[in-house]
Amino acid sequence: MKICNLVAPAKINLYLEVLGERVDHYHELIMVLQSIELSDYIKIYFNGTRDFNLYCNNSLVPLNETNIAYRAAQLIVKKFPKFFDSYGGVDIIINKCIPVAAGLAGGSTDGAAVLLALNLLWKLKLNKTELEKLSENLGSDVPFCITGGTAIATGRGETLNPIENLDNLWVVLAKYQNFSISTPWAYQNYKKRFGEYYWKIDSNNRNNNFKSLVNAISHKNDKRIGELLHNDLEKVVLPKHLVINKLKSFISKTGGLGTMMSGSGPTIFTLCESYEKAQDIKNVITQELQDSNLELFISKLSNNGIKIMEN
Ligand code: C5P
């Protein structure tokens, strides 16, 4: 195999609760993560040199070490230098469709795709568990992006337990163009505001909410799933960015099952029981807000992580 084409899906958070700070200074989390069909498209092929070249159709995407896809290639070279000597460098072409720095794991899913592609192209023969372990070095969301679907994520976000899939549901996503939120900023500010409560919040109460959501997912109780969406990071992002707060308030009145910010934001999503409902809601947002700076997407929830396409 000389060329690898991949589809790299985005994710949304259905639940994100911060429990406290860990010794490695990351936050200990309980999350429910969900893949969606909105995806980046990635092509990787041998370039006959010893370089890794990254190309992207979106000028907001960095083409250096700050890009997780680039770091994924560097990580594989460092771990498998003999394979690098045999096969050499690759060109990585990212067709970016997922909004950048939006809380949708767009960078993480591209990084996951590069790991899977180099595993195939360089015949490393790593299995999914080994790839997930390796990918932890690249970011907390990258292991989830490999397998995708619907999963409980704990630890930093890297410890995964797959649960019943929700691929009967749809989502409308709303993101202001050129408006992004830094994930470290969101966590640092959460710590400033709520650090004194870390590890102290009534765990019975917390687990009831979380368990209720997982229970609703296992019973495919769509209405209840919508009601139980939860994201602690909203508590710092929404008061600081009133434009996002207003957007969430507006969308939550358009008739979806539930409306929330994904990850560290700023994307707001609303869950819907059908494509028709999602289309109706998208039309209402377009007509009522009349904001050409607001990007809207309709996407189905998905049961897939990275897909390797037949050439
Ligand atoms: O793991 P990732 O590189 O995506 O994390 C980006 C930043 O988000 C970290 O540097 C950290 O500031 C914050 N973070 C955190 N706890 C997590 C995940 C991320 O504090 N579980």
Side-chain angles (χ1 to χ4, degrees):
M1 183 189 258
K2 294 203 164 112
I3 299 182
C4 193
N5 285 297
L6 308 102
V7 180
K11 69 96 181 99
I12 53 172
N13 296 73
L14 302 179
Y15 191 92
L16 189 162
E17 184 174 356
V18 179
L19 302 187
E21 196 181 15
R22 300 151 48 104
V23 281
D24 60 8
H25 300 299
Y26 277 81
H27 284 84
E28 184 75 16
L29 307 173
I30 302 185
M31 298 189 283
V32 178
L33 301 177
Q34 174 65 56
S35 301
I36 58 174
E37 285 188 350
L38 176 66
S39 299
D40 287 345
Y41 297 85
I42 299 173
K43 180 186 258 211
I44 302 186
Y45 51 88
F46 293 122
N47 62 16
T49 75
R50 291 182 62 81
D51 292 327
F52 289 85
N53 304 312
L54 195 55
Y55 303 92
C56 184
N57 58 333
N58 182 330
S59 60
L60 293 174
V61 174
L63 302 175
N64 53 27
E65 300 76 33
T66 59
N67 188 315
I68 302 177
Y70 193 95
R71 288 213 305 278
Q74 283 182 322
L75 178 69
I76 293 283
V77 172
K78 198 169 140 216
K79 292 268 177 196
F80 304 97
K82 289 202 175 119
F83 288 81
F84 179 44
D85 287 342
S86 309
Y87 291 104
V90 290
D91 282 3
I92 302 167
I93 319 249
I94 300 175
N95 180 1
K96 190 114 217 77
C97 302
I98 304 171
V100 179
L104 300 173
S108 298
T109 197
D110 296 347
V114 169
L115 285 189
L116 262 66
L118 286 177
N119 186 40
L120 270 183
L121 291 171
W122 285 9
K123 302 190 175 66
L124 300 176
K125 300 197 172 124
L126 300 174
N127 62 33
K128 245 185 189 162
T129 314
E130 290 167 324
L131 283 164
E132 279 179 4
K133 191 81 204 136
L134 193 59
S135 75
E136 286 174 20
N137 299 295
L138 296 170
S140 309
D141 286 337
V142 187
F144 171 76
C145 292
I146 291 177
T147 313
T150 312
I152 296 171
T154 51
R156 278 164 56 201
E158 84 291 8
T159 308
L160 301 167
N161 275 299
I163 54 176
E164 278 79 2
N165 72 68
L166 288 174
D167 55 7
N168 56 315
L169 294 179
W170 292 77
V171 69
V172 181
L173 303 141
K175 154 96 185 18
Y176 285 109
Q177 281 173 35
N178 307 325
F179 186 104
S180 57
I181 287 178
S182 136
T183 304
W185 175 89
Y187 280 102
Q188 274 155 26
N189 278 274
Y190 191 87
K191 183 177 152 189
K192 260 192 221 156
R193 201 53 231 279
F194 299 104
E196 60 181 299
Y197 305 114
Y198 280 180
W199 305 113
K200 289 183 192 147
I201 299 166
D202 177 3
S203 63
N204 288 329
N205 186 29
R206 166 196 308 135
N207 286 334
N208 281 343
N209 290 343
F210 170 71
K211 281 184 191 156
S212 302
L213 176 63
V214 174
N215 196 31
I217 292 172
S218 69
H219 289 94
K220 301 243 178 236
N221 185 340
D222 301 341
K223 186 166 171 285
R224 211 54 200 121
I225 293 168
E227 286 163 4
L228 289 163
L229 298 175
H230 176 82
N231 183 352
D232 271 342
L233 295 178
E234 285 188 339
K235 295 178 199 163
V236 286
V237 174
L238 299 185
K240 168 87 181 161
H241 299 287
L242 293 180
V243 62
I244 305 302
N245 198 10
K246 272 175 77 178
L247 180 65
K248 185 187 167 193
S249 300
F250 177 80
I251 295 180
S252 60
K253 290 178 203 127
T254 54
L257 297 163
T259 303
M260 197 172 76
M261 183 180 83
S262 184
S264 55
T267 302
I268 300 290
F269 69 84
T270 192
L271 280 184
C272 303
E273 59 272 43
S274 66
Y275 173 75
E276 290 71 26
K277 184 76 191 172
Q279 189 65 55
D280 284 350
I281 290 178
K282 183 175 176 233
N283 288 343
V284 170
I285 301 171
T286 308
Q287 278 157 23
E288 296 286 320
L289 296 186
Q290 305 239 346
D291 189 338
S292 58
N293 198 27
L294 185 66
E295 285 184 294
L296 297 169
F297 305 85
I298 293 180
S299 189
K300 196 168 194 273
L301 304 201
S302 158
N303 203 20
N304 292 308
I306 306 295
K307 258 199 255 172
I308 297 163
M309 308 306 282
E310 299 289 329
N311 285 319

